[in-house]
Structure formats: C-alpha cells, structure tokens
Amino acid sequence: PGKYDVTVNASGYAPAVQKDVTVASGQVKDVGTLTMTRGRSVSGQVLDAKGAAVAGAAVVVGKKIVGDGKSLVAELGKAFEEASGIRRATSDAEGKYSISGISDGIQFIAADHAQGGRSAAAAVPEGKEDAAMDLRLLPMGALQGKVTYGEKPAANVMVVATQKGARNQSLLVTTDNEGLYLFERMPTGDYDLMAMSKTGLGGKSGGASARVEAGRKGTADIHVEAGEVTLDVSVAGDDGKQVPLAQVFLFKGGLAPRNGKEVQEAFLGKAKSGGAMMAFAKPPGPAQFKQVTAADYSVCVLPISGDIQDASFRARLQKHADQLLVHCLPYKVTPSPSKQKFTATVPQMAPLPE
C-alpha cells in the first residue's frame, strides 16, 4: 500500500508515466490506459578522426553517460540505465545510426569503437524536434596513477575522470590494494580526476589534472590530505519537522552554491585540491566527516523528501537534480576538540516538478 509512479518503457517510444498512483491494501488499482508517444529521434553518422565513416560503432544516448576503465557505459544495472534514459544503437556499413523514443529533455550522446576510438559526449538539444548529429571518434590513450591518503596507499577508492567541458560524461575505476588505478581506454583530451570514498577516506577527496595523449599511457598521482577532526553535521527542518534525508557538502572557504548544478560544479572544482567532502545525513544519524583539517568551511545541504528506495522517485530526483535547492551555512572547524558537532537548520525540499 502507498503511492507509486508507474513508468512504462518501450523501444521506439518515450517513457509513459502515471504519477502518484495510490495502491490500497487488498485492492487492485486500475490506472487506466497509458498512451505512449513516439518521442523524438537522433540520427547521424559516426566518423573517425579523418572524417571516414565507421561501421559497427556503439552509440549511446542518455541523461548521463558513465563508463569504466574500458567501456563507454559501465555495468551499473538495469535500474541505473532506466533512470538515466540510456538507449543504444550500432552504426551500419555507412557509419549511420538512428535512435528513437528519446524524451524532450536534454540528453547526451557518444559513440565508441574498439579500434576507431571514442567520441566526447555531445549534448542533444532540448525540445520535441528530431536531432541530426554526427559523432567524430577521438584517438585513445590510457592513464594510471596512485592514490595516497596521508602517507598511506588508499585501497578500494573510487577514481572519477571527467573530461573538461563534459560534466555529464565520466569514467569510474577503483584502486587496488596498493592504491593503484588504471583507465585502459580514454579519449584524448584534458581531464579532471577525483578520488573519493566515504568509507575508505571518511568522506575526504583529492584530485589532479591530467592530459591523455593518443597511444600513450600517462601518469597522474592523487594525494588526499588527512586532518585530525571528526565533524558530525545533523540536519533539521526549519518547520520543526525532521528532514528524511540530506546530501551534505563541506567546502573549505566561503562557497554558496544555490542549486544542484552549482553544488556539483563546486564539488568537482574543490575536490581536486582536497577542499570538498560529501556525506549523507539520515536521521537520527548525522552526516559524518572524518579527518577534517582546521579551517573556515561552508556546510551546504541538499534536503531530500521521498523514498530513495523507490526507483520512480529516484528517476524523478535525477531528472530534476540540477534544479534542487541547496542551503549553505558557515562553520569554523577548530584544531580542538577532535570531535565536533554542528546542526544545519534548512527548509524542506520543494516538491519535485511533474
């Protein structure tokens, strides 16, 4: 029993959604007829660096494209792909491709070929009109390095590589027991790197910049600074009610991002220098930040009201993530005591748009 969003996906059609369907105990709910629309399409040609057509290239379109050390799209499960609106095609003998059933929101598209290389993600403009986009493959390189935390190797830490100017396309790998990471296939270009793990690094992050060159394996080490203070941040609603869940960012300095887009950009920028941390606060527990260095910080809170275990709610949350309001408060971390507490009182999350 409860409220649900019902989503129907079908090849060649935009998703049909029936929101806020109330299911009562012991009853069968008839949601009626859901009418599916064709959606729009994106088509074009996959080309190599010299402009020649490339057959057999994998083409992917979605709200966000997340790959791993080898593949354009990482194996993150069907639920993630549905939430990201991932749709696929393969270029034909003339390098042509076509993907239909795309929603009218902004999407990103990229192509990959085992020998030909991979394109950077390009934005498919918002709207209801079909789009025509050619995708040019870039030569591939590789990147390796070591992540250290304090003086020790950081094992089982996630390393995220984001090509400059392509915020909605990223690559994820994990360090081994020696703190080593490897991206075996990366398009050439300039990248921002970030190493972060809530469990392995206590929410801390570090970063670096790297350039990937064709046919070469570059090296970029990442060092994460270790402090001596543990900071617990509790989140309370300004209406006196409990905030069900909150994403809490800790920025060194006086940042004041206003929404989800700005806070993510700030996080990626600050994380490179170790000046950003992130954790979740789920009452009655606080968001906990370990080994924080003494300094002035901004505590920025993104409140979340809804069942995060519900796939339909997660999809709506992801769709509107850039517009979610963020609330920032100043806090000064002192050298002592070693355990400090702070309560951030913020408004509840505004209702998600339909």
Side-chain angles (χ1 to χ4, degrees):
K3 282 191 175 182
Y4 295 84
D5 288 348
V6 179
T7 303
V8 180
N9 288 286
S11 178
Y13 291 86
V17 182
Q18 185 81 0
K19 296 183 182 297
D20 297 328
V21 175
T22 300
V23 178
S25 179
Q27 298 182 16
V28 176
K29 176 67 176 181
D30 183 359
V31 299
T33 300
L34 278 71
T35 301
M36 305 195 73
T37 59
R38 183 184 68 85
R40 57 181 178 144
S41 67
V42 57
S43 59
Q45 193 175 26
V46 180
L47 307 170
D48 65 15
K50 297 181 179 180
V54 177
V59 182
V60 173
V61 62
K63 300 170 190 172
K64 187 176 180 67
I65 301 175
V66 179
D68 55 26
K70 299 178 181 180
S71 306
L72 173 62
V73 179
E75 294 294 333
L76 298 176
K78 184 177 180 180
F80 176 84
E81 291 206 0
E82 287 184 355
S84 299
I86 295 293
R87 294 181 184 269
R88 305 169 185 264
T90 302
S91 61
D92 64 17
E94 297 179 342
K96 295 180 180 180
Y97 74 91
S98 180
I99 301 177
S100 59
I102 300 172
S103 64
D104 54 9
I106 189 169
Q107 307 276 311
F108 293 85
I109 188 169
D112 183 69
H113 188 271
Q115 289 76 43
R118 185 181 301 166
S119 71
V124 181
E126 293 182 89
K128 298 184 180 299
E129 300 296 322
D130 293 343
M133 300 182 68
D134 290 340
L135 305 173
R136 190 175 293 268
L137 302 180
L138 299 171
M140 304 295 282
L143 188 67
Q144 64 183 0
K146 185 173 185 177
V147 181
T148 54
Y149 183 47
E151 302 299 324
K152 299 179 181 180
N156 299 314
V157 168
M158 183 174 65
V159 180
V160 184
T162 305
Q163 195 163 14
K164 292 184 183 294
R167 187 172 65 91
N168 282 66
Q169 182 183 25
S170 56
L171 302 172
L172 311 179
V173 294
T174 303
T175 60
D176 63 15
N177 290 335
E178 301 299 321
L180 302 175
Y181 73 87
L182 172 64
F183 292 98
E184 294 185 37
R185 296 183 73 243
M186 300 177 75
T188 54
D190 294 319
Y191 287 82
D192 289 326
L193 303 174
M194 182 178 67
M196 180 182 175
S197 169
K198 182 179 178 181
T199 54
L201 301 179
K204 295 219 70 173
S205 62
S209 295
R211 169 166 287 186
V212 175
E213 298 181 351
R216 296 186 178 183
K217 182 183 289 185
T219 300
D221 294 333
I222 302 173
H223 177 71
V224 182
E225 183 182 15
E228 299 180 353
V229 175
T230 296
L231 174 63
D232 287 349
V233 177
S234 298
V235 178
D238 63 2
D239 56 1
K241 298 180 180 179
Q242 195 174 70
V243 176
L245 179 68
Q247 189 175 17
V248 183
F249 296 85
L250 188 64
F251 294 116
K252 185 179 289 186
L255 292 182
R258 297 166 296 178
N259 54 46
K261 179 181 179 181
E262 291 182 4
V263 79
Q264 290 295 337
E265 290 174 346
F267 183 73
L268 290 174
K270 279 281 190 179
K272 287 175 56 180
S273 61
M277 303 171 71
M278 188 277 291
F280 285 91
K282 185 175 183 180
Q288 187 172 83
F289 301 97
K290 298 180 179 179
Q291 296 185 309
V292 181
T293 54
D296 290 320
Y297 288 86
S298 290
V299 177
C300 296
V301 179
L302 193 159
I304 300 172
S305 299
D307 183 5
I308 201 68
Q309 301 302 321
D310 177 26
S312 60
F313 174 75
R314 290 200 307 271
R316 293 171 66 188
L317 193 68
Q318 184 179 38
K319 178 179 180 180
H320 302 289
D322 284 355
Q323 290 78 44
L324 298 178
L325 296 181
V326 175
H327 312 279
C328 297
L329 300 165
Y331 181 77
K332 184 180 184 67
V333 174
T334 56
S336 62
S338 60
K339 294 185 178 180
Q340 300 178 29
K341 296 181 179 180
F342 176 67
T343 298
T345 302
V346 300
Q348 298 284 348
M349 184 184 81
L352 291 173
E354 293 298 325

